[in-house]
Amino acid sequence: MALTDEQRSEIEAVRAAPNQTVRPTVPAMEALLFEPFPLLDHGFIRVVDYMGDDSAVVQAARVSYGKGTRKTSEDAGLIRYLMRHRHSTPFEMCEIKFHVKLPLFVARQWIRHRMASVNEYSARYSVLDREFYLPDATQIAAQSKVNNQGRGETLSAETAAEVLSILQRDALQCYGDYEQLLDPEGLGVARELARINLTLNTYTQWYWKIDLHNLMHFLALRSDPHAQYEIRVYAQKMIEILKAWVPHTAQAFEDYRLGAYSFSAGMLKVLRRRLAGESVTQETSGLTKREWAEMQAVLEG
């Protein structure tokens, strides 16, 4: 992970500075606040700030003034009810802000989740670092034959080495050209133009602030096994952070979202017919082949 000594000193200074507040805080979050967690080869994620906790979700749902006298188990039960019945606004009362360093192609996937506030490092104003993502050889795979937007079988070690060589060669060449374009003693091209020559595996950084409800939506999609590996790495680390921040909400999220499956009306009809003793095949189910396969995968799991 490429953190400069100056950046590390800044982080240590902020972490060491005493702060007093009367707002609710979470000890587990206070312990990891500002700490960068390395991801991929040059990336990281760190929590810059947060607002609210599990009790804030409960407070919003009950429209109460404080924690009151209810037991923690009652609060957890309410959170599970809210999650189970897909109530969203109580979870929107909590927010979190991340500082993320990630490859450009991951950022382009990430930014599709629009319910967040984002401020990205400006390559019009500053020069991007000479850092680019190179996948591990175990992550270099052929195009999937069943998923048009995913990977299939891992390529041989020899082929993976050739792929890595091409990726590294092109990234180095493009960054070298980028420097040549920027050179004030040479071509002297404007930064906003020179940047268009960079490869999509170049690293960028941003601050990303989002509420808890939309964060969980992001995590449900981007931690799914069908999501691209590189963005899953970030999502999985964020789930760990979620557990530290709002443990009751995180548990309900795992039980009712990550570990659950929604059946369509047609799938429920098939299940009822099976429970009644009827033998149902894909041809007699009324489901498409893909729906049938998805249902079978969950049931046989």
Side-chain angles (χ1 to χ4, degrees):
M1 179 179 59
L3 275 180
T4 65
D5 291 339
E6 182 181 359
Q7 287 173 322
R8 290 185 182 279
S9 296
E10 273 186 36
I11 291 169
E12 289 171 6
V14 173
R15 286 177 59 83
N19 290 289
Q20 293 184 342
T21 179
V22 294
R23 69 177 179 85
T25 58
V26 180
M29 285 292 280
E30 295 295 310
L32 60 79
L33 204 57
F34 309 120
E35 187 70 30
F37 297 99
L39 299 169
L40 301 180
D41 50 359
H42 300 293
F44 64 74
I45 188 168
R46 65 190 187 105
V47 180
V48 177
D49 200 2
Y50 70 98
M51 181 186 76
D53 55 8
D54 278 326
S55 65
V57 176
V58 172
Q59 184 184 58
R62 292 177 176 145
V63 196
S64 63
Y65 293 100
K67 292 186 177 180
T69 58
R70 290 182 173 84
K71 297 179 181 178
T72 301
S73 59
E74 292 177 336
D75 287 352
L78 176 55
I79 287 172
R80 293 179 69 81
Y81 175 88
L82 296 171
M83 187 73 67
R84 191 164 61 247
H85 293 277
R86 295 186 176 271
H87 292 280
S88 59
T89 48
F91 298 107
E92 292 174 7
M93 301 300 158
C94 297
E95 292 190 338
I96 191 167
K97 181 163 62 175
F98 293 101
H99 176 198
V100 190
K101 184 176 182 180
L102 67 174
L104 283 168
F105 72 92
V106 177
R108 298 294 78 81
Q109 289 183 315
W110 194 309
I111 204 68
R112 291 175 64 84
H113 298 267
R114 296 164 295 171
M115 302 305 291
S117 299
V118 186
N119 197 59
E120 186 174 1
Y121 185 93
S122 174
R124 295 183 68 196
Y125 181 80
S126 303
V127 177
L128 288 169
D129 292 334
R130 186 176 175 273
E131 290 179 327
F132 41 85
Y133 169 67
L134 292 177
D136 188 270
T138 59
Q139 294 300 327
I140 298 178
Q143 175 63 45
S144 171
K145 295 179 180 178
V146 295
N147 180 0
N148 290 333
Q149 59 177 7
R151 302 174 199 179
E153 294 183 4
T154 302
L155 297 175
S156 68
E158 294 77 12
T159 304
E162 184 177 355
V163 170
L164 283 170
S165 177
I166 291 171
L167 292 174
Q168 185 176 48
R169 179 200 67 197
D170 289 352
L172 287 170
Q173 176 66 51
C174 287
Y175 194 87
D177 292 340
Y178 173 63
E179 290 179 310
Q180 183 180 352
L181 291 169
L182 289 171
D183 185 2
E185 302 300 322
L187 296 173
V189 174
R191 287 185 288 270
E192 66 178 17
L193 288 173
R195 64 180 174 167
I196 69 177
N197 194 55
L198 293 170
T199 51
L200 280 174
N201 60 345
T202 304
Y203 272 87
T204 186
Q205 298 185 42
W206 62 30
Y207 275 58
W208 191 69
K209 181 173 71 69
I210 192 167
D211 67 61
L212 178 56
H213 166 65
N214 283 292
L215 173 64
M216 290 188 292
H217 180 68
F218 171 89
L219 295 176
L221 292 174
R222 297 307 182 178
S223 67
D224 187 273
H226 295 95
Q228 186 167 347
Y229 164 77
E230 285 78 11
I231 201 167
R232 287 205 319 268
V233 169
Y234 287 87
Q236 287 160 1
K237 175 54 68 174
M238 293 165 81
I239 288 174
E240 292 179 24
I241 293 170
L242 186 76
K243 291 177 181 178
W245 177 26
V246 282
H248 292 315
T249 299
Q251 185 61 61
F253 174 61
E254 284 196 326
D255 291 343
Y256 297 119
R257 295 290 297 278
L258 296 184
Y261 188 85
S262 295
F263 287 106
S264 67
M267 290 176 179
L268 285 174
K269 287 179 181 178
V270 170
L271 293 176
R272 292 190 181 107
R273 288 166 62 187
R274 282 184 170 180
L275 289 172
E278 184 180 346
S279 178
V280 185
T281 64
Q282 188 271 314
E283 291 75 14
T284 63
S285 67
L287 303 177
T288 66
K289 289 182 179 180
R290 187 164 187 173
E291 285 178 305
W292 178 265
E294 290 175 357
M295 183 183 72
Q296 291 295 99
V298 171
L299 295 176
E300 296 170 3

